[in-house]
Amino acid sequence: AAILIGVPLGILISYIRPASKPVLAFANIVQAVPSMALLGLAIPVFGIGMKPAIFLVVIYSLLPIIKNTYAGLMNINEQMLEAAEGLTKSQILFKVRLPMALPVIMTGVRISAVSAVGLMTLAAYVGGGGLGYLVFSGIRTVSNVMILAGAIPACILALLVDRVFAAIETIVTPVSLLDGKNKDEKRRRKKREMFVIATAVVLLIALLFTSLFQTKKTADIRIASMDF
């Protein structure tokens, strides 16, 4: 959701320069608001459960994506754009500017993806469950084992998410922009990265498929708790 909002917004402000300052200023202000405060402000609108946590993660993920999209599009070599003269604006955007800016854009996406894993642990505060439940339960019961039981899987998940997005970055980046000089090696690396992505997609489909056949409880009670 953050990618679908942030990338088009970054493209828009790269074309409409006067809009860049207020959009980036708003994103900076939102990023400066403490996550717990923003989560509390979201509860009257979304209630308790996963919805306010997802809202929090999407909002906090926007700034790196918007900034990197804008920076990537604005820092393209002027000679490259001059060589593209004669194409339409949409052709220049999709065939020249976006492919050249993709490494910078994907860096912002990777930062957002990894930080999102850490932020989602706050879902436990508003009855959203997840690994944060173990972390906060361990804090309340002074149990280091329980804290680590939630923190270590979260760290591993963050590393896996970063690896998957690194593979996506290699796939979408033009071969000429990849590091190294051997084009054959670059193509072989792309094939390996595609295998990683295919594996991740298969696992995701398997998880979604199994969740569809889980028995639905007759009633769910969600409880959120506050310290003190």
Side-chain angles (χ1 to χ4, degrees), residues 180-217:
K181 296 180 180 179
N182 191 331
K183 295 292 181 69
D184 292 332
E185 177 59 30
K186 291 175 184 177
R187 291 190 181 97
R188 285 196 294 270
R189 191 171 73 172
K190 272 203 169 186
K191 288 180 181 178
R192 289 196 296 268
E193 303 290 4
M194 289 180 71
F195 175 76
V196 173
I197 295 300
T199 304
V201 170
V202 168
L203 289 173
L204 181 61
I205 292 172
L207 287 171
L208 292 173
F209 184 78
T210 52
S211 66
L212 290 174
F213 291 94
Q214 288 180 349
T215 54
K216 185 69 177 177
K217 295 178 182 178

PDB file of all heavy atoms in Angstrom, residues 180-217:
ATOM      1  N   GLY A 180      29.624  -4.502 -11.327  1.00  0.00           N
ATOM      2  CA  GLY A 180      30.426  -5.505 -12.011  1.00  0.00           C
ATOM      3  C   GLY A 180      30.462  -5.274 -13.510  1.00  0.00           C
ATOM      4  O   GLY A 180      29.705  -4.484 -14.067  1.00  0.00           O
ATOM      5  N   LYS A 181      31.364  -5.988 -14.191  1.00  0.00           N
ATOM      6  CA  LYS A 181      31.561  -5.771 -15.613  1.00  0.00           C
ATOM      7  C   LYS A 181      31.112  -6.947 -16.472  1.00  0.00           C
ATOM      8  O   LYS A 181      30.892  -6.802 -17.661  1.00  0.00           O
ATOM      9  CB  LYS A 181      33.046  -5.489 -15.884  1.00  0.00           C
ATOM     10  CG  LYS A 181      33.543  -4.202 -15.220  1.00  0.00           C
ATOM     11  CD  LYS A 181      35.005  -3.972 -15.515  1.00  0.00           C
ATOM     12  CE  LYS A 181      35.494  -2.680 -14.849  1.00  0.00           C
ATOM     13  NZ  LYS A 181      36.929  -2.434 -15.111  1.00  0.00           N
ATOM     14  N   ASN A 182      31.014  -8.115 -15.890  1.00  0.00           N
ATOM     15  CA  ASN A 182      30.694  -9.306 -16.662  1.00  0.00           C
ATOM     16  C   ASN A 182      29.180  -9.418 -16.845  1.00  0.00           C
ATOM     17  O   ASN A 182      28.447  -9.687 -15.901  1.00  0.00           O
ATOM     18  CB  ASN A 182      31.234 -10.554 -15.951  1.00  0.00           C
ATOM     19  CG  ASN A 182      31.173 -11.782 -16.823  1.00  0.00           C
ATOM     20  OD1 ASN A 182      30.324 -11.896 -17.697  1.00  0.00           O
ATOM     21  ND2 ASN A 182      32.090 -12.707 -16.597  1.00  0.00           N
ATOM     22  N   LYS A 183      28.690  -9.195 -18.062  1.00  0.00           N
ATOM     23  CA  LYS A 183      27.244  -9.220 -18.323  1.00  0.00           C
ATOM     24  C   LYS A 183      26.663 -10.624 -18.122  1.00  0.00           C
ATOM     25  O   LYS A 183      25.537 -10.769 -17.650  1.00  0.00           O
ATOM     26  CB  LYS A 183      26.967  -8.753 -19.760  1.00  0.00           C
ATOM     27  CG  LYS A 183      27.335  -7.297 -20.032  1.00  0.00           C
ATOM     28  CD  LYS A 183      26.438  -6.358 -19.278  1.00  0.00           C
ATOM     29  CE  LYS A 183      26.781  -4.896 -19.567  1.00  0.00           C
ATOM     30  NZ  LYS A 183      26.454  -4.490 -20.925  1.00  0.00           N
ATOM     31  N   ASP A 184      27.443 -11.677 -18.489  1.00  0.00           N
ATOM     32  CA  ASP A 184      26.944 -13.047 -18.303  1.00  0.00           C
ATOM     33  C   ASP A 184      26.725 -13.342 -16.822  1.00  0.00           C
ATOM     34  O   ASP A 184      25.738 -13.982 -16.442  1.00  0.00           O
ATOM     35  CB  ASP A 184      27.926 -14.058 -18.891  1.00  0.00           C
ATOM     36  CG  ASP A 184      27.994 -13.965 -20.406  1.00  0.00           C
ATOM     37  OD1 ASP A 184      26.976 -13.548 -21.013  1.00  0.00           O
ATOM     38  OD2 ASP A 184      29.043 -14.294 -20.981  1.00  0.00           O
ATOM     39  N   GLU A 185      27.650 -12.881 -16.000  1.00  0.00           N
ATOM     40  CA  GLU A 185      27.513 -13.083 -14.560  1.00  0.00           C
ATOM     41  C   GLU A 185      26.285 -12.341 -14.039  1.00  0.00           C
ATOM     42  O   GLU A 185      25.561 -12.826 -13.165  1.00  0.00           O
ATOM     43  CB  GLU A 185      28.768 -12.593 -13.842  1.00  0.00           C
ATOM     44  CG  GLU A 185      28.699 -12.690 -12.315  1.00  0.00           C
ATOM     45  CD  GLU A 185      28.472 -14.102 -11.822  1.00  0.00           C
ATOM     46  OE1 GLU A 185      28.909 -15.054 -12.490  1.00  0.00           O
ATOM     47  OE2 GLU A 185      27.834 -14.245 -10.758  1.00  0.00           O
ATOM     48  N   LYS A 186      26.027 -11.159 -14.573  1.00  0.00           N
ATOM     49  CA  LYS A 186      24.842 -10.396 -14.166  1.00  0.00           C
ATOM     50  C   LYS A 186      23.565 -11.156 -14.515  1.00  0.00           C
ATOM     51  O   LYS A 186      22.618 -11.191 -13.732  1.00  0.00           O
ATOM     52  CB  LYS A 186      24.849  -9.032 -14.857  1.00  0.00           C
ATOM     53  CG  LYS A 186      25.950  -8.092 -14.365  1.00  0.00           C
ATOM     54  CD  LYS A 186      25.968  -6.814 -15.191  1.00  0.00           C
ATOM     55  CE  LYS A 186      27.129  -5.904 -14.773  1.00  0.00           C
ATOM     56  NZ  LYS A 186      27.214  -4.699 -15.603  1.00  0.00           N
ATOM     57  N   ARG A 187      23.542 -11.757 -15.706  1.00  0.00           N
ATOM     58  CA  ARG A 187      22.351 -12.506 -16.112  1.00  0.00           C
ATOM     59  C   ARG A 187      22.156 -13.742 -15.223  1.00  0.00           C
ATOM     60  O   ARG A 187      21.032 -14.074 -14.854  1.00  0.00           O
ATOM     61  CB  ARG A 187      22.477 -12.912 -17.581  1.00  0.00           C
ATOM     62  CG  ARG A 187      22.402 -11.723 -18.539  1.00  0.00           C
ATOM     63  CD  ARG A 187      22.274 -12.192 -19.984  1.00  0.00           C
ATOM     64  NE  ARG A 187      22.238 -11.047 -20.891  1.00  0.00           N
ATOM     65  CZ  ARG A 187      23.291 -10.580 -21.532  1.00  0.00           C
ATOM     66  NH1 ARG A 187      24.484 -11.138 -21.349  1.00  0.00           N
ATOM     67  NH2 ARG A 187      23.190  -9.545 -22.346  1.00  0.00           N
ATOM     68  N   ARG A 188      23.278 -14.414 -14.900  1.00  0.00           N
ATOM     69  CA  ARG A 188      23.170 -15.575 -14.015  1.00  0.00           C
ATOM     70  C   ARG A 188      22.674 -15.164 -12.640  1.00  0.00           C
ATOM     71  O   ARG A 188      21.857 -15.867 -12.029  1.00  0.00           O
ATOM     72  CB  ARG A 188      24.528 -16.275 -13.889  1.00  0.00           C
ATOM     73  CG  ARG A 188      24.926 -17.085 -15.112  1.00  0.00           C
ATOM     74  CD  ARG A 188      26.048 -18.043 -14.780  1.00  0.00           C
ATOM     75  NE  ARG A 188      27.275 -17.335 -14.452  1.00  0.00           N
ATOM     76  CZ  ARG A 188      28.194 -16.995 -15.345  1.00  0.00           C
ATOM     77  NH1 ARG A 188      28.014 -17.304 -16.624  1.00  0.00           N
ATOM     78  NH2 ARG A 188      29.286 -16.374 -14.969  1.00  0.00           N
ATOM     79  N   ARG A 189      23.137 -13.994 -12.167  1.00  0.00           N
ATOM     80  CA  ARG A 189      22.690 -13.511 -10.871  1.00  0.00           C
ATOM     81  C   ARG A 189      21.208 -13.161 -10.909  1.00  0.00           C
ATOM     82  O   ARG A 189      20.474 -13.421  -9.954  1.00  0.00           O
ATOM     83  CB  ARG A 189      23.515 -12.286 -10.463  1.00  0.00           C
ATOM     84  CG  ARG A 189      23.297 -11.893  -9.004  1.00  0.00           C
ATOM     85  CD  ARG A 189      24.273 -10.833  -8.552  1.00  0.00           C
ATOM     86  NE  ARG A 189      23.949  -9.541  -9.130  1.00  0.00           N
ATOM     87  CZ  ARG A 189      24.558  -8.415  -8.773  1.00  0.00           C
ATOM     88  NH1 ARG A 189      25.516  -8.448  -7.875  1.00  0.00           N
ATOM     89  NH2 ARG A 189      24.234  -7.266  -9.330  1.00  0.00           N
ATOM     90  N   LYS A 190      20.763 -12.610 -12.033  1.00  0.00           N
ATOM     91  CA  LYS A 190      19.337 -12.304 -12.163  1.00  0.00           C
ATOM     92  C   LYS A 190      18.489 -13.571 -12.078  1.00  0.00           C
ATOM     93  O   LYS A 190      17.420 -13.585 -11.479  1.00  0.00           O
ATOM     94  CB  LYS A 190      19.079 -11.582 -13.481  1.00  0.00           C
ATOM     95  CG  LYS A 190      19.221 -10.071 -13.397  1.00  0.00           C
ATOM     96  CD  LYS A 190      18.438  -9.399 -14.497  1.00  0.00           C
ATOM     97  CE  LYS A 190      18.353  -7.895 -14.255  1.00  0.00           C
ATOM     98  NZ  LYS A 190      17.485  -7.229 -15.216  1.00  0.00           N
ATOM     99  N   LYS A 191      18.975 -14.656 -12.700  1.00  0.00           N
ATOM    100  CA  LYS A 191      18.227 -15.916 -12.658  1.00  0.00           C
ATOM    101  C   LYS A 191      18.139 -16.434 -11.228  1.00  0.00           C
ATOM    102  O   LYS A 191      17.095 -16.938 -10.804  1.00  0.00           O
ATOM    103  CB  LYS A 191      18.900 -16.949 -13.559  1.00  0.00           C
ATOM    104  CG  LYS A 191      18.736 -16.659 -15.048  1.00  0.00           C
ATOM    105  CD  LYS A 191      19.429 -17.711 -15.889  1.00  0.00           C
ATOM    106  CE  LYS A 191      19.284 -17.397 -17.379  1.00  0.00           C
ATOM    107  NZ  LYS A 191      19.986 -18.393 -18.225  1.00  0.00           N
ATOM    108  N   ARG A 192      19.244 -16.310 -10.479  1.00  0.00           N
ATOM    109  CA  ARG A 192      19.215 -16.755  -9.081  1.00  0.00           C
ATOM    110  C   ARG A 192      18.242 -15.914  -8.262  1.00  0.00           C
ATOM    111  O   ARG A 192      17.509 -16.435  -7.426  1.00  0.00           O
ATOM    112  CB  ARG A 192      20.629 -16.657  -8.483  1.00  0.00           C
ATOM    113  CG  ARG A 192      21.603 -17.679  -9.027  1.00  0.00           C
ATOM    114  CD  ARG A 192      22.836 -17.790  -8.128  1.00  0.00           C
ATOM    115  NE  ARG A 192      23.599 -16.561  -8.087  1.00  0.00           N
ATOM    116  CZ  ARG A 192      24.614 -16.284  -8.895  1.00  0.00           C
ATOM    117  NH1 ARG A 192      24.968 -17.161  -9.827  1.00  0.00           N
ATOM    118  NH2 ARG A 192      25.273 -15.149  -8.790  1.00  0.00           N
ATOM    119  N   GLU A 193      18.243 -14.609  -8.524  1.00  0.00           N
ATOM    120  CA  GLU A 193      17.334 -13.732  -7.790  1.00  0.00           C
ATOM    121  C   GLU A 193      15.882 -14.051  -8.134  1.00  0.00           C
ATOM    122  O   GLU A 193      15.010 -14.028  -7.262  1.00  0.00           O
ATOM    123  CB  GLU A 193      17.635 -12.254  -8.112  1.00  0.00           C
ATOM    124  CG  GLU A 193      19.063 -11.811  -7.829  1.00  0.00           C
ATOM    125  CD  GLU A 193      19.385 -11.729  -6.356  1.00  0.00           C
ATOM    126  OE1 GLU A 193      18.519 -12.091  -5.543  1.00  0.00           O
ATOM    127  OE2 GLU A 193      20.494 -11.311  -6.019  1.00  0.00           O
ATOM    128  N   MET A 194      15.606 -14.368  -9.379  1.00  0.00           N
ATOM    129  CA  MET A 194      14.242 -14.727  -9.786  1.00  0.00           C
ATOM    130  C   MET A 194      13.803 -16.003  -9.087  1.00  0.00           C
ATOM    131  O   MET A 194      12.635 -16.161  -8.720  1.00  0.00           O
ATOM    132  CB  MET A 194      14.170 -14.882 -11.306  1.00  0.00           C
ATOM    133  CG  MET A 194      14.273 -13.565 -12.058  1.00  0.00           C
ATOM    134  SD  MET A 194      14.185 -13.744 -13.845  1.00  0.00           S
ATOM    135  CE  MET A 194      12.456 -14.186 -14.038  1.00  0.00           C
ATOM    136  N   PHE A 195      14.732 -16.931  -8.879  1.00  0.00           N
ATOM    137  CA  PHE A 195      14.414 -18.158  -8.154  1.00  0.00           C
ATOM    138  C   PHE A 195      14.023 -17.850  -6.717  1.00  0.00           C
ATOM    139  O   PHE A 195      13.067 -18.425  -6.179  1.00  0.00           O
ATOM    140  CB  PHE A 195      15.613 -19.106  -8.187  1.00  0.00           C
ATOM    141  CG  PHE A 195      15.428 -20.342  -7.362  1.00  0.00           C
ATOM    142  CD1 PHE A 195      14.628 -21.384  -7.810  1.00  0.00           C
ATOM    143  CD2 PHE A 195      16.038 -20.461  -6.115  1.00  0.00           C
ATOM    144  CE1 PHE A 195      14.438 -22.516  -7.049  1.00  0.00           C
ATOM    145  CE2 PHE A 195      15.857 -21.585  -5.349  1.00  0.00           C
ATOM    146  CZ  PHE A 195      15.060 -22.624  -5.808  1.00  0.00           C
ATOM    147  N   VAL A 196      14.747 -16.915  -6.086  1.00  0.00           N
ATOM    148  CA  VAL A 196      14.419 -16.513  -4.711  1.00  0.00           C
ATOM    149  C   VAL A 196      13.019 -15.909  -4.651  1.00  0.00           C
ATOM    150  O   VAL A 196      12.222 -16.233  -3.782  1.00  0.00           O
ATOM    151  CB  VAL A 196      15.467 -15.511  -4.186  1.00  0.00           C
ATOM    152  CG1 VAL A 196      15.039 -14.946  -2.828  1.00  0.00           C
ATOM    153  CG2 VAL A 196      16.829 -16.181  -4.060  1.00  0.00           C
ATOM    154  N   ILE A 197      12.723 -15.040  -5.603  1.00  0.00           N
ATOM    155  CA  ILE A 197      11.405 -14.395  -5.625  1.00  0.00           C
ATOM    156  C   ILE A 197      10.305 -15.414  -5.861  1.00  0.00           C
ATOM    157  O   ILE A 197       9.256 -15.379  -5.215  1.00  0.00           O
ATOM    158  CB  ILE A 197      11.363 -13.303  -6.718  1.00  0.00           C
ATOM    159  CG1 ILE A 197      12.330 -12.182  -6.377  1.00  0.00           C
ATOM    160  CG2 ILE A 197       9.960 -12.733  -6.868  1.00  0.00           C
ATOM    161  CD1 ILE A 197      12.031 -11.498  -5.070  1.00  0.00           C
ATOM    162  N   ALA A 198      10.534 -16.334  -6.788  1.00  0.00           N
ATOM    163  CA  ALA A 198       9.530 -17.367  -7.077  1.00  0.00           C
ATOM    164  C   ALA A 198       9.254 -18.207  -5.842  1.00  0.00           C
ATOM    165  O   ALA A 198       8.099 -18.541  -5.543  1.00  0.00           O
ATOM    166  CB  ALA A 198      10.007 -18.252  -8.234  1.00  0.00           C
ATOM    167  N   THR A 199      10.313 -18.529  -5.089  1.00  0.00           N
ATOM    168  CA  THR A 199      10.141 -19.296  -3.852  1.00  0.00           C
ATOM    169  C   THR A 199       9.310 -18.518  -2.844  1.00  0.00           C
ATOM    170  O   THR A 199       8.411 -19.077  -2.205  1.00  0.00           O
ATOM    171  CB  THR A 199      11.523 -19.623  -3.245  1.00  0.00           C
ATOM    172  OG1 THR A 199      12.311 -20.308  -4.228  1.00  0.00           O
ATOM    173  CG2 THR A 199      11.383 -20.496  -2.019  1.00  0.00           C
ATOM    174  N   ALA A 200       9.599 -17.217  -2.705  1.00  0.00           N
ATOM    175  CA  ALA A 200       8.842 -16.385  -1.768  1.00  0.00           C
ATOM    176  C   ALA A 200       7.372 -16.305  -2.159  1.00  0.00           C
ATOM    177  O   ALA A 200       6.483 -16.368  -1.308  1.00  0.00           O
ATOM    178  CB  ALA A 200       9.456 -14.985  -1.706  1.00  0.00           C
ATOM    179  N   VAL A 201       7.104 -16.185  -3.461  1.00  0.00           N
ATOM    180  CA  VAL A 201       5.719 -16.112  -3.938  1.00  0.00           C
ATOM    181  C   VAL A 201       4.977 -17.414  -3.667  1.00  0.00           C
ATOM    182  O   VAL A 201       3.824 -17.414  -3.228  1.00  0.00           O
ATOM    183  CB  VAL A 201       5.697 -15.776  -5.450  1.00  0.00           C
ATOM    184  CG1 VAL A 201       4.292 -15.937  -6.014  1.00  0.00           C
ATOM    185  CG2 VAL A 201       6.193 -14.353  -5.685  1.00  0.00           C
ATOM    186  N   VAL A 202       5.654 -18.546  -3.901  1.00  0.00           N
ATOM    187  CA  VAL A 202       5.030 -19.855  -3.654  1.00  0.00           C
ATOM    188  C   VAL A 202       4.691 -20.002  -2.175  1.00  0.00           C
ATOM    189  O   VAL A 202       3.607 -20.473  -1.813  1.00  0.00           O
ATOM    190  CB  VAL A 202       5.972 -20.986  -4.119  1.00  0.00           C
ATOM    191  CG1 VAL A 202       5.470 -22.344  -3.613  1.00  0.00           C
ATOM    192  CG2 VAL A 202       6.060 -21.011  -5.636  1.00  0.00           C
ATOM    193  N   LEU A 203       5.616 -19.593  -1.292  1.00  0.00           N
ATOM    194  CA  LEU A 203       5.354 -19.673   0.145  1.00  0.00           C
ATOM    195  C   LEU A 203       4.185 -18.785   0.551  1.00  0.00           C
ATOM    196  O   LEU A 203       3.349 -19.176   1.370  1.00  0.00           O
ATOM    197  CB  LEU A 203       6.605 -19.269   0.922  1.00  0.00           C
ATOM    198  CG  LEU A 203       7.781 -20.257   0.878  1.00  0.00           C
ATOM    199  CD1 LEU A 203       8.999 -19.656   1.547  1.00  0.00           C
ATOM    200  CD2 LEU A 203       7.402 -21.569   1.551  1.00  0.00           C
ATOM    201  N   LEU A 204       4.116 -17.582  -0.038  1.00  0.00           N
ATOM    202  CA  LEU A 204       3.017 -16.670   0.273  1.00  0.00           C
ATOM    203  C   LEU A 204       1.682 -17.250  -0.170  1.00  0.00           C
ATOM    204  O   LEU A 204       0.686 -17.192   0.562  1.00  0.00           O
ATOM    205  CB  LEU A 204       3.260 -15.320  -0.408  1.00  0.00           C
ATOM    206  CG  LEU A 204       2.206 -14.238  -0.168  1.00  0.00           C
ATOM    207  CD1 LEU A 204       2.113 -13.903   1.312  1.00  0.00           C
ATOM    208  CD2 LEU A 204       2.527 -12.987  -0.962  1.00  0.00           C
ATOM    209  N   ILE A 205       1.643 -17.824  -1.373  1.00  0.00           N
ATOM    210  CA  ILE A 205       0.409 -18.448  -1.873  1.00  0.00           C
ATOM    211  C   ILE A 205      -0.002 -19.608  -0.974  1.00  0.00           C
ATOM    212  O   ILE A 205      -1.184 -19.799  -0.665  1.00  0.00           O
ATOM    213  CB  ILE A 205       0.599 -18.912  -3.330  1.00  0.00           C
ATOM    214  CG1 ILE A 205       0.754 -17.690  -4.258  1.00  0.00           C
ATOM    215  CG2 ILE A 205      -0.571 -19.778  -3.787  1.00  0.00           C
ATOM    216  CD1 ILE A 205       1.134 -18.042  -5.679  1.00  0.00           C
ATOM    217  N   ALA A 206       0.994 -20.396  -0.528  1.00  0.00           N
ATOM    218  CA  ALA A 206       0.695 -21.527   0.354  1.00  0.00           C
ATOM    219  C   ALA A 206       0.097 -21.056   1.671  1.00  0.00           C
ATOM    220  O   ALA A 206      -0.866 -21.644   2.177  1.00  0.00           O
ATOM    221  CB  ALA A 206       1.969 -22.320   0.607  1.00  0.00           C
ATOM    222  N   LEU A 207       0.640 -19.968   2.224  1.00  0.00           N
ATOM    223  CA  LEU A 207       0.107 -19.426   3.476  1.00  0.00           C
ATOM    224  C   LEU A 207      -1.320 -18.915   3.303  1.00  0.00           C
ATOM    225  O   LEU A 207      -2.188 -19.158   4.142  1.00  0.00           O
ATOM    226  CB  LEU A 207       1.001 -18.297   3.979  1.00  0.00           C
ATOM    227  CG  LEU A 207       2.356 -18.716   4.563  1.00  0.00           C
ATOM    228  CD1 LEU A 207       3.227 -17.494   4.806  1.00  0.00           C
ATOM    229  CD2 LEU A 207       2.175 -19.488   5.860  1.00  0.00           C
ATOM    230  N   LEU A 208      -1.567 -18.208   2.189  1.00  0.00           N
ATOM    231  CA  LEU A 208      -2.912 -17.705   1.920  1.00  0.00           C
ATOM    232  C   LEU A 208      -3.894 -18.852   1.705  1.00  0.00           C
ATOM    233  O   LEU A 208      -5.034 -18.806   2.160  1.00  0.00           O
ATOM    234  CB  LEU A 208      -2.892 -16.790   0.695  1.00  0.00           C
ATOM    235  CG  LEU A 208      -2.149 -15.457   0.855  1.00  0.00           C
ATOM    236  CD1 LEU A 208      -2.061 -14.733  -0.483  1.00  0.00           C
ATOM    237  CD2 LEU A 208      -2.841 -14.573   1.887  1.00  0.00           C
ATOM    238  N   PHE A 209      -3.437 -19.899   1.008  1.00  0.00           N
ATOM    239  CA  PHE A 209      -4.297 -21.047   0.710  1.00  0.00           C
ATOM    240  C   PHE A 209      -4.704 -21.767   1.992  1.00  0.00           C
ATOM    241  O   PHE A 209      -5.868 -22.138   2.173  1.00  0.00           O
ATOM    242  CB  PHE A 209      -3.559 -22.003  -0.232  1.00  0.00           C
ATOM    243  CG  PHE A 209      -4.397 -23.170  -0.686  1.00  0.00           C
ATOM    244  CD1 PHE A 209      -5.347 -23.016  -1.678  1.00  0.00           C
ATOM    245  CD2 PHE A 209      -4.241 -24.432  -0.112  1.00  0.00           C
ATOM    246  CE1 PHE A 209      -6.121 -24.078  -2.108  1.00  0.00           C
ATOM    247  CE2 PHE A 209      -5.008 -25.494  -0.523  1.00  0.00           C
ATOM    248  CZ  PHE A 209      -5.953 -25.327  -1.531  1.00  0.00           C
ATOM    249  N   THR A 210      -3.726 -21.961   2.906  1.00  0.00           N
ATOM    250  CA  THR A 210      -4.048 -22.653   4.153  1.00  0.00           C
ATOM    251  C   THR A 210      -4.943 -21.805   5.058  1.00  0.00           C
ATOM    252  O   THR A 210      -5.790 -22.332   5.768  1.00  0.00           O
ATOM    253  CB  THR A 210      -2.760 -23.004   4.915  1.00  0.00           C
ATOM    254  OG1 THR A 210      -1.955 -21.823   5.053  1.00  0.00           O
ATOM    255  CG2 THR A 210      -1.957 -24.060   4.172  1.00  0.00           C
ATOM    256  N   SER A 211      -4.765 -20.474   5.008  1.00  0.00           N
ATOM    257  CA  SER A 211      -5.587 -19.606   5.856  1.00  0.00           C
ATOM    258  C   SER A 211      -7.055 -19.615   5.425  1.00  0.00           C
ATOM    259  O   SER A 211      -7.944 -19.400   6.243  1.00  0.00           O
ATOM    260  CB  SER A 211      -5.052 -18.179   5.833  1.00  0.00           C
ATOM    261  OG  SER A 211      -5.186 -17.617   4.547  1.00  0.00           O
ATOM    262  N   LEU A 212      -7.306 -19.886   4.142  1.00  0.00           N
ATOM    263  CA  LEU A 212      -8.683 -19.914   3.655  1.00  0.00           C
ATOM    264  C   LEU A 212      -9.470 -21.088   4.228  1.00  0.00           C
ATOM    265  O   LEU A 212     -10.686 -21.034   4.344  1.00  0.00           O
ATOM    266  CB  LEU A 212      -8.701 -19.984   2.123  1.00  0.00           C
ATOM    267  CG  LEU A 212      -8.238 -18.729   1.376  1.00  0.00           C
ATOM    268  CD1 LEU A 212      -8.169 -19.001  -0.113  1.00  0.00           C
ATOM    269  CD2 LEU A 212      -9.174 -17.563   1.664  1.00  0.00           C
ATOM    270  N   PHE A 213      -8.757 -22.165   4.582  1.00  0.00           N
ATOM    271  CA  PHE A 213      -9.430 -23.373   5.047  1.00  0.00           C
ATOM    272  C   PHE A 213      -9.394 -23.522   6.561  1.00  0.00           C
ATOM    273  O   PHE A 213      -9.745 -24.569   7.094  1.00  0.00           O
ATOM    274  CB  PHE A 213      -8.796 -24.609   4.393  1.00  0.00           C
ATOM    275  CG  PHE A 213      -9.069 -24.692   2.915  1.00  0.00           C
ATOM    276  CD1 PHE A 213      -8.158 -24.181   2.010  1.00  0.00           C
ATOM    277  CD2 PHE A 213     -10.247 -25.241   2.434  1.00  0.00           C
ATOM    278  CE1 PHE A 213      -8.405 -24.235   0.645  1.00  0.00           C
ATOM    279  CE2 PHE A 213     -10.500 -25.308   1.075  1.00  0.00           C
ATOM    280  CZ  PHE A 213      -9.578 -24.805   0.179  1.00  0.00           C
ATOM    281  N   GLN A 214      -8.956 -22.486   7.256  1.00  0.00           N
ATOM    282  CA  GLN A 214      -8.996 -22.535   8.711  1.00  0.00           C
ATOM    283  C   GLN A 214     -10.434 -22.377   9.189  1.00  0.00           C
ATOM    284  O   GLN A 214     -11.211 -21.621   8.618  1.00  0.00           O
ATOM    285  CB  GLN A 214      -8.121 -21.429   9.314  1.00  0.00           C
ATOM    286  CG  GLN A 214      -6.630 -21.689   9.163  1.00  0.00           C
ATOM    287  CD  GLN A 214      -5.807 -20.581   9.777  1.00  0.00           C
ATOM    288  OE1 GLN A 214      -6.338 -19.538  10.125  1.00  0.00           O
ATOM    289  NE2 GLN A 214      -4.517 -20.802   9.889  1.00  0.00           N
ATOM    290  N   THR A 215     -10.755 -23.082  10.234  1.00  0.00           N
ATOM    291  CA  THR A 215     -12.119 -22.996  10.769  1.00  0.00           C
ATOM    292  C   THR A 215     -12.322 -21.645  11.429  1.00  0.00           C
ATOM    293  O   THR A 215     -11.493 -21.187  12.221  1.00  0.00           O
ATOM    294  CB  THR A 215     -12.349 -24.106  11.811  1.00  0.00           C
ATOM    295  OG1 THR A 215     -11.329 -24.028  12.802  1.00  0.00           O
ATOM    296  CG2 THR A 215     -12.302 -25.472  11.136  1.00  0.00           C
ATOM    297  N   LYS A 216     -13.419 -21.004  11.109  1.00  0.00           N
ATOM    298  CA  LYS A 216     -13.729 -19.673  11.643  1.00  0.00           C
ATOM    299  C   LYS A 216     -14.380 -19.801  13.012  1.00  0.00           C
ATOM    300  O   LYS A 216     -15.319 -20.576  13.199  1.00  0.00           O
ATOM    301  CB  LYS A 216     -14.680 -18.940  10.679  1.00  0.00           C
ATOM    302  CG  LYS A 216     -14.971 -17.503  11.076  1.00  0.00           C
ATOM    303  CD  LYS A 216     -13.753 -16.640  10.925  1.00  0.00           C
ATOM    304  CE  LYS A 216     -14.079 -15.194  11.256  1.00  0.00           C
ATOM    305  NZ  LYS A 216     -12.892 -14.334  11.195  1.00  0.00           N
ATOM    306  N   LYS A 217     -13.857 -19.057  13.966  1.00  0.00           N
ATOM    307  CA  LYS A 217     -14.452 -19.076  15.295  1.00  0.00           C
ATOM    308  C   LYS A 217     -15.794 -18.352  15.260  1.00  0.00           C
ATOM    309  O   LYS A 217     -16.013 -17.453  14.467  1.00  0.00           O
ATOM    310  CB  LYS A 217     -13.519 -18.387  16.298  1.00  0.00           C
ATOM    311  CG  LYS A 217     -12.195 -19.120  16.485  1.00  0.00           C
ATOM    312  CD  LYS A 217     -11.308 -18.356  17.456  1.00  0.00           C
ATOM    313  CE  LYS A 217      -9.967 -19.043  17.612  1.00  0.00           C
ATOM    314  NZ  LYS A 217      -9.081 -18.291  18.520  1.00  0.00           N
TER     315      LYS A 217
END
